[in-house]
Amino acid sequence: MRVITGSARGRRLKTPDNYDIRPTTDNVKEAVFNILQFDLEGRRVLDLFAGTGQLGIEALSRGAAEAVFVDESRESVRIVKENLRTCGFSAPVFQQNALDFLRGGEKFDIIFVDPPYDAGLYEPVLKSIRAVDKLSDGGIIICEARREIALPEMEAPYARKKEYRYGKVKICLYTKET
């Protein structure tokens, strides 16, 4: 697994020794960043369920101003910190439950939501983002899920915009209208 492009292009990222973490495939990652290509520069990114940190690191490599990484797993936090060092980036990394983290007051321009597929976390996480209003006006939420998982709608001013399918995976794009 490598950083695709930007300032850290080609840097190899550490992956876990076991399969407790399911990294986003390179094809899906490239598709996500093609969707976001004009929306990253200078933005504040939250990599929720960070795993290896590859989505937030790719965002930093492509010009995001800041990224915050959150994962409950001690191993994931260690890997994210190591990958940040490898790429020459510095960013806050929290070992914390995603729903607990979302209760905080800071807002983000882009939020990556990629929980364990069968954990049933999509709806509570999206509801929490909406309830606490974690997304800045015009912001984007990117959810990665197994193709057959039905992702929920969101109440205004949030809206589900588009769904993309890549083999067994789908990406769902949500926005916050201004």
Side-chain angles (χ1 to χ4, degrees):
M1 183 172 52
R2 295 177 187 264
V3 177
I4 297 170
T5 195
S7 63
R9 180 181 182 181
R11 300 272 170 85
R12 189 177 297 273
L13 300 176
K14 181 172 177 44
T15 57
D17 296 330
N18 58 39
Y19 292 97
D20 290 343
I21 300 170
R22 173 199 35 81
T24 299
T25 65
D26 284 344
N27 289 344
V28 172
K29 181 169 65 170
E30 188 164 359
V32 164
F33 285 96
N34 284 339
I35 294 165
L36 293 174
Q37 65 183 328
F38 301 113
D39 295 306
L40 277 170
E41 190 73 35
R43 300 292 212 112
R44 190 158 194 262
V45 174
L46 172 60
D47 192 346
L48 207 53
F49 308 99
T52 62
Q54 69 168 328
L55 294 175
I57 289 169
E58 187 74 35
L60 288 169
S61 181
R62 292 174 182 237
E66 181 183 354
V68 174
F69 299 83
V70 177
D71 203 292
E72 199 166 36
S73 159
R74 177 177 284 128
E75 182 185 13
S76 289
V77 166
R78 182 185 57 74
I79 290 172
V80 170
K81 288 178 178 179
E82 188 174 328
N83 285 337
L84 284 165
R85 276 190 303 276
T86 297
C87 294
F89 297 128
S90 176
V93 182
F94 296 95
Q95 183 182 348
Q96 190 173 5
N97 174 280
L99 291 169
D100 291 341
F101 178 84
L102 290 172
R103 290 188 190 115
E106 52 189 332
K107 289 187 182 259
F108 297 91
D109 301 307
I110 297 170
I111 300 175
F112 294 112
V113 177
D114 184 14
Y117 285 168
D118 298 321
L121 289 168
Y122 294 100
E123 190 164 340
V125 164
L126 292 172
K127 280 184 177 179
S128 184
I129 290 170
R130 164 77 173 72
V132 181
D133 200 23
K134 292 299 279 187
L135 199 61
S136 60
D137 290 345
I140 299 168
I141 300 169
I142 297 280
C143 280
E144 179 181 333
R146 187 178 292 118
R147 185 180 187 140
E148 59 273 3
I149 293 175
L151 293 174
E153 296 291 332
M154 289 184 80
E155 293 179 32
Y158 291 81
R160 190 169 79 184
K161 289 296 188 182
K162 194 160 184 182
E163 219 169 76
Y164 305 85
R165 297 181 186 278
Y166 305 97
K168 296 178 180 180
V169 173
K170 73 176 167 186
I171 299 298
C172 191
L173 178 80
Y174 294 87
T175 60
K176 181 180 176 191
E177 306 300 317
T178 55

